[in-house]
Each structure stands twice: as C-alpha cells, then as structure tokens.
C-alpha cells in the first residue's frame, strides 16, 4: 500500500521518527515526500515491476471466473452432456432432453452460491488473510472440478455448481482487494484493469473449449481443462506474499515489513520503515471508536461518509448491467450471421478479441485519461449503440454490416469504460479498513442485478413472450442514459490519489465534480500550493 502523509524529521534516527509520529499524530504539516508519488505511469510500471508482477499473478485467478461463468450456459446444449444428465423424453421428437427444473437448479446453485461467496469471502479475508482466501477458493475449485468430472447424477452436478459459485464469489470479492492493497498508487487502475482482462481471457478459453468439444462426445474435456487454469494460479498461491495492510492490521510488524521488502524493496525511493510507520498510524486512526466485529463492519459501510464510499464503489460495477450486455453479447451470433458470418464461434471469437484488445489499451489510459471521462464517454457511446440497434429493428431488411459495426463499437466502448473501470472504483473509494466488505457488497449487488436481467431479458426476447427482438435496444438505451446521469452526479474522479488523500476528500465531503481538481494537504506539502483548487 502506497501510504502517504508525512514525516518531517529527516535527520533523526528511527526511534526519533516513532516519537515524532506519536507526538504529532501525523498532522499534515509533518512532511514525507517519497519520490515515487510524482512518477509517471510508465516509470511506475518500470520501478515497481515486482509488486505489479505479483498483482498480475493474482489477477490470473480471474480467468477461472470468466471460464466458470461462460461454460454452464453453453454446455447444456452439448449432445453428450444431454445424454448423461437428460431425464425426459420429448413427446414430439422422442429425443432425450434435460429437465428444465434441473437446469434452473444448476443456475440457482451457481448464482446463489456466488452471491453467498461475495458476502462471506470478505469476512474470511479480514479474519484469516487475503492469501487464506486464495487457498480456500482454490480448494473449492478443485473439489468442484472433480465433482463435475465424476458426476453422473444431476444432483452431484448441482453440488459442483454450488462449490464453483462460492469460489467465483471469493474470486471477485477477494482478488481485487489483494490487488488494491499491493498495486502502486500511480498504476492502481491499470493493474486492476488486468483483472478484467484475465476475466475476458477466461471467457475466450471457454469459447475455444466449447468449440473443441462440439466435434466429439466427450463433454468432460471442458472440465479437465479447469485444472490448467488452476495451474496458472499456483505461482500466486506459492510466491505472492500476504498484503502489508492485512499483516499490519493484525499487529504483525515483522510480516508486514517482510511483505513490503518483497513487494517494494527493489524501489530506491521506498523506505520500508517509514512506510510502515505511516501505514500503522493510518490503521490506528481508522480503528478509533470502530468495531472489529465483522457484521457490525457491514453496517459501518452504510454509516457517515462510508455510505457515500459504498455507493460510489457499487455504481460503476452495477452500470455494467445497464449498458446492454444482454443485447450485444446475446445477439452477437445473429448480427454476424446477417453480415455473412454464419459460424457462431467465429462471431464470438471476433467480439472477444476486440474486448481483449481494448482492455489492453485501457491499461495505459485508465491512469492517464482518468476513470470518470472513460466512464462517461463510453456510456454515451454505448447508449447511442443501443438506440441505433433499436431503430434498425424497425427496418424490413436488417443491415447486417451496420449491426456488426455497432457490436464492435459497443464492445470497444465497454472495454474502455465500465469493463475496466468498475473494479478500479471499488479499490479507490472503499475505506481501507472496510475494503474487503465493500468489495463483497458491490460485487454481490451487481450479481443481483445480473440475476434480474438473466430472468427478464429472455422473456423480452422470446417470440413466445414479449418478442421485442432488436427493439429491446429501447429498453437498454434509456437505462444506459439513466445510469449515465447517476454516474455524472455521484461518481468522482479518483485517478492518482493515494488512500490518505481519498480519506481526506471524503471526510471533507468534496463534491463529485471538484473531486479531481481539489488540492489535498498532501499535495500542498509536495507542491507548495496554498489553494485547495487547481488553477
């Protein structure tokens, strides 16, 4: 954690520094000006390569998240899978079919357990450590994969989906917290964008795997491949250290400093002893009159300034569900068929490659352009895509090329905005002491919105029900605009801010539009500014 406040006793020994801290209580006039706070993104990536490498290894866990979420909805159409788990004979065709209630039960087990994991993961993370959660989710994934492979009854497969759901919930609420606490401040957004990239990579792996099993009747191959994804996560399990923040909160100074040395010891301007003093003081200040009981900490997230922080953490993630996911991801194959690409796999592959390409681009712009401009700019473009698609739905002959263009434009905008920015806001705005709890609730709330859309959108699209077709764009277009307005008034710019700076901004209740330009006490001590606003 790149803590900043300051010390102004540069000529005293470490004992004197501690006495100075205790006496002055880390007031803003005590100056500590580490060089790294002024570095550019590229310099930060170069100097902090070791901590960024560990963050990247941890982010690879998201590949399984993307994989596990993509596979269940497609594998139920595989003949071999139906042959194994089918229990109903169609009265029309005489073919074996899956029981719709069993399919619903699998979906409920996966999604319900995922939400459960998002709520329980943070409590386990705060109690036992960020690394303990990584080991725990890996255990669940291994057991789930084994059950998926050996399952011959739909109930066993349901148990596998339940364990898989808990693991993916822990992934979303746990890995991002680790990255947020370890990533250098000037590259925090870029490193968190790597999580979204790994998630999309998992989706691509799932699409490739499903295409492979479509050519033969061994559906279990798709589950054997999960061990490959788990293998990518092994280096993080073995080599990544516990976060200094968690170790310091547990009072383990030795472990915290050892983690700092491993993560940042190669950076010449990083003083481990001074940084630990700053971190320790911040934790002590946060803990004053605060509860350590886990369920009371959940309540704390909705009290005082923490309420605003929780709302801001949640909004960008929830906005992902309002911008047309169900329209442009569900209709990809149809759009490409109209344009002369009748093969579903190629259509999915093209869209996923566009997603990955622009997620890579987001690594370099999220901490340079800023979160808020990307969120608002991307939202405006995606709203236009939704309305344009709805308008095309009224044409007698649908222009396939135009629909493909809109799909590609929407995907690129999604990757550069809500697709990459959402988790950055969870890391930036959550109170450091409540970060794990806030991340879990933000992810769970988003998943609940996802459940709502998963249920309602098929009804809107189905010819047997509402039969809206492409006109569903008129449903997502206004939702996108509504979300854009909420984001504009409630979600501030947080790029380049250290956690003490963010604490100051929230405590002073700085308005959303002034958040990015406000000069904090830390900045004034570094820049010598007297004004609280940029000229």
């Amino acid at each position: 954690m790149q803590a900043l406040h300051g010390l102004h006793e540069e000529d005293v020994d470490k004992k004197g520094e501690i006495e100075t801290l205790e006496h002055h209580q880390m007031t803003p006039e005590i100056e500590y000006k580490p060089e790294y706070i002024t570095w550019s993104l590229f310099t930060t990536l170069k100097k902090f390569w070791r901590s960024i490498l560990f963050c990247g290894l941890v982010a690879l866990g998201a590949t399984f998240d993307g994989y596990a979420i993509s596979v269940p909805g497609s594998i139920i159409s595989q003949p071999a899978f139906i042959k194994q788990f089918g229990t109903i004979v169609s009265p029309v065709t005489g073919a074996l079919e899956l029981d719709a209630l069993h399919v619903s039960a699998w979906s409920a087990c996966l999604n319900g357990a995922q939400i459960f994991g998002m709520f329980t993961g943070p409590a386990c993370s705060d109690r036992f450590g960020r690394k303990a959660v990584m080991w725990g989710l890996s255990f669940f994934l291994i057991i789930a994969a084994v059950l998926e492979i050996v399952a011959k009854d739909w109930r066993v497969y349901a148990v596998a989906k339940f364990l898989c759901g808990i693991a993916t919930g822990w992934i979303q609420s746990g890995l991002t917290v680790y990255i947020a606490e370890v990533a250098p401040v000037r590259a925090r957004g870029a490193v968190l964008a790597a999580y979204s990239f790994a998630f999309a990579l998992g989706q691509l792996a799932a699409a490739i795997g499903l295409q492979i099993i479509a050519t033969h009747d061994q559906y279990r191959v798709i589950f054997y491949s999960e061990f490959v994804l788990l293998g990518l996560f092994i280096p993080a399990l073995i080599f990544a250290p516990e976060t200094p923040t968690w170790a310091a909160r547990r009072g383990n100074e030795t472990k915290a400093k050892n983690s700092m040395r491993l993560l940042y010891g190669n950076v010449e301007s990083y003083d481990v002893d001074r940084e630990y003093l700053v971190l320790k003081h911040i934790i002590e200040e946060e803990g004053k009159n605060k509860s350590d009981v886990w369920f009371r900490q959940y309540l704390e997230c909705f009290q005082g300034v923490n309420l605003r922080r929780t709302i801001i953490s949640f909004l960008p993630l929830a906005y992902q569900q309002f911008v047309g996911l169900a329209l442009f991801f569900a209709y990809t194959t149809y759009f490409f068929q109209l344009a002369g690409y009748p093969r579903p796999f190629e259509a999915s592959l093209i869209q996923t490659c566009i997603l990955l390409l622009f997620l890579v681009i987001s690594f370099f712009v999220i901490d340079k352009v800023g979160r808020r401009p990307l969120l608002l700019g991307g939202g405006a473009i995606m709203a236009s895509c939704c309305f344009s698609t709805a308008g095309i739905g009224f044409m007698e002959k649908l222009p396939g090329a135009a629909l493909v263009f809109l799909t590609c434009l929407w995907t690129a905008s999604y990757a550069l905005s809500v697709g990459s920015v959402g988790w950055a806001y969870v890391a930036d705005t959550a109170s450091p002491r409540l970060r794990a709890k806030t991340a879990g609730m933000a992810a769970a709330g988003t998943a609940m919105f996802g459940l709502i859309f998963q249920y309602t959108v098929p009804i809107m699209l189905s010819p047997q029900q509402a039969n809206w077709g492409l006109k569903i764009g008129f449903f997502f277009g206004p939702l996108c605009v509504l979300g854009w307005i909420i984001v504009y008034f409630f979600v501030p710019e947080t790029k380049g801010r250290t956690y003490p700076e963010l604490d100051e901004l929230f405590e002073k209740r700085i308005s959303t539009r002034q958040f990015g330009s406000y000069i904090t006490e830390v900045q004034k001590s570094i820049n010598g500014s007297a004004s609280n606003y940029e000229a």
Side-chain angles (χ1 to χ4, degrees):
M1 176 179 179
Q2 314 309 310
L4 277 190
H5 247 108
L7 304 171
H8 185 47
E9 299 291 341
E10 298 181 357
D11 297 326
V12 299
D13 57 15
K14 297 302 178 186
K15 181 178 179 181
E17 289 181 10
I18 296 175
E19 291 173 350
T20 301
L21 276 172
E22 292 175 346
H23 178 72
H24 290 284
Q25 292 296 301
M26 289 293 290
T27 50
E29 64 268 22
I30 304 174
E31 297 178 4
Y32 171 40
K33 305 175 182 179
E35 181 185 354
Y36 64 75
I37 194 60
T38 62
W39 288 346
S40 66
L41 172 61
F42 289 100
T43 302
T44 301
L45 293 174
K46 180 180 177 181
K47 298 287 188 179
F48 282 94
W49 67 266
R50 192 186 295 172
S51 61
I52 290 171
L53 174 62
F54 282 119
C55 288
L57 292 175
V58 170
L60 285 175
T63 57
F64 190 95
D65 191 10
Y67 193 88
I69 289 176
S70 300
V71 166
S74 300
I75 199 171
I76 58 175
S77 64
Q78 295 296 326
F81 186 86
I82 296 173
K83 181 180 178 180
Q84 178 63 63
F85 295 102
T87 57
I88 295 177
V89 177
S90 172
V92 178
T93 63
L96 192 64
E97 295 180 347
L98 296 173
D99 189 327
L101 294 178
H102 295 172
V103 176
S104 297
W106 295 334
S107 178
C109 285
L110 178 64
N111 294 301
Q114 187 179 30
I115 294 173
F116 175 77
M118 289 170 180
F119 280 116
T120 57
C124 294
S125 178
D126 283 344
R127 177 66 180 86
F128 302 107
R130 315 314 188 203
K131 285 295 296 291
V133 166
M134 293 185 202
W135 282 104
L137 67 88
S138 299
F139 172 78
F140 285 131
L141 291 177
I142 291 172
I143 301 300
V146 171
L147 290 177
E148 288 168 337
I149 292 169
V150 303
K152 295 183 179 180
D153 182 84
W154 73 271
R155 298 174 186 84
V156 177
Y157 188 73
V159 174
K161 292 297 97 181
F162 181 81
L163 294 175
C164 186
I166 292 177
T168 56
W170 281 24
I171 288 173
Q172 293 186 24
S173 64
L175 301 191
T176 52
V177 172
Y178 183 97
I179 295 171
E181 292 182 345
V182 168
V185 64
R186 292 299 183 186
R188 191 168 59 230
V191 177
L192 278 162
Y195 177 91
S196 299
F197 179 84
F199 183 90
L201 202 61
Q203 291 178 307
L204 176 61
I208 295 173
L210 290 166
Q211 178 69 8
I212 292 173
I213 66 171
T215 61
H216 56 76
D217 60 355
Q218 295 297 322
Y219 73 89
R220 288 183 175 86
V221 172
I222 201 75
F223 299 127
Y224 283 119
S225 60
E226 292 176 349
F227 290 104
V228 177
L229 299 180
L230 286 172
L232 296 176
F233 195 50
I234 288 177
L237 291 175
I238 297 175
F239 300 111
E242 183 56 80
T243 69
T245 302
W246 183 86
R249 289 188 191 284
R250 306 304 293 182
N252 194 332
E253 178 178 347
T254 301
K255 188 171 186 176
K257 287 186 175 181
N258 287 340
S259 293
M260 285 178 165
R261 292 187 184 97
L262 180 58
L263 292 166
Y264 318 114
N266 62 312
V267 182
E268 61 272 13
S269 67
Y270 191 94
D271 189 320
V272 170
D273 292 313
R274 286 176 177 244
E275 293 285 348
Y276 179 78
L277 291 174
V278 175
L279 176 59
K280 180 181 176 182
H281 175 78
I282 291 172
I283 292 171
E284 290 173 349
E285 288 297 304
E286 288 178 346
K288 287 181 178 179
N289 302 318
K290 303 294 184 181
S291 174
D292 289 328
V293 181
W294 68 271
F295 62 85
R296 289 181 181 172
Q297 289 182 350
Y298 276 113
L299 295 177
E300 244 182 82
C301 291
F302 300 96
Q303 297 173 349
V305 294
N306 285 329
L307 174 60
R308 184 187 180 193
R309 303 179 83 145
T310 300
I311 291 173
I312 295 172
S313 296
F314 165 72
L315 285 177
L317 275 183
Y319 192 34
Q320 293 179 352
Q321 300 295 331
F322 286 73
V323 295
L325 272 173
L327 172 61
F328 287 98
F329 276 107
Y331 266 82
T332 300
T333 301
Y334 178 56
F335 292 167
F336 278 77
Q337 284 177 337
L338 290 174
Y341 292 90
R343 291 176 289 278
F345 174 69
E346 288 188 7
S348 176
L349 184 62
I350 291 172
Q351 185 181 40
T352 305
C353 288
I354 292 172
L355 180 66
L356 290 171
L357 171 63
F358 282 89
L359 282 173
V360 170
I361 295 174
S362 74
F363 296 171
F364 304 100
V365 300
I366 190 172
D367 282 309
K368 187 173 183 63
V369 176
R371 288 91 156 116
R372 182 175 161 90
L374 290 176
L375 202 57
L376 294 175
I381 294 174
M382 287 184 286
S384 300
C385 290
C386 289
F387 283 117
S388 298
T389 302
I392 290 175
F394 286 96
M395 298 182 181
E396 293 184 6
K397 184 177 181 180
L398 301 179
L403 289 171
V404 169
F405 171 77
L406 289 173
T407 300
C408 295
L409 178 61
W410 182 94
T411 303
S413 302
Y414 176 87
L416 285 174
S417 55
V418 293
S420 57
V421 170
W423 288 110
Y425 270 106
V426 174
D428 289 346
T429 58
S431 168
R433 194 174 70 90
L434 302 174
R435 185 177 293 117
K437 306 292 193 306
T438 305
M441 288 191 293
T446 303
M448 290 177 183
F449 271 110
L451 280 176
I452 293 172
F453 285 115
Q454 285 175 22
Y455 178 77
T456 57
V457 168
I459 295 175
M460 299 176 196
L461 296 176
S462 174
Q464 301 174 4
Q465 301 294 329
N467 194 26
W468 287 2
L470 297 182
K471 300 181 184 68
I472 196 175
F474 282 132
F475 172 76
F476 281 109
L479 277 182
C480 198
V481 172
L482 174 62
W484 191 95
I485 294 172
I486 293 173
V487 165
Y488 179 81
F489 286 104
F490 289 96
V491 179
E493 178 57 71
T494 59
K495 74 165 183 175
R497 296 291 194 181
T498 63
Y499 288 125
E501 285 184 271
L502 290 166
D503 288 341
E504 178 186 337
L505 291 167
F506 281 112
E507 289 293 337
K508 289 183 177 180
R509 293 176 167 80
I510 303 302
S511 68
T512 297
R513 280 170 285 180
Q514 295 176 337
F515 220 82
S517 60
Y518 188 86
I519 305 297
T520 63
E521 297 301 325
V522 174
Q523 287 177 298
K524 285 199 287 186
S525 70
I526 294 175
N527 302 328
S529 173
S531 171
N532 283 114
Y533 294 94
E534 293 180 353

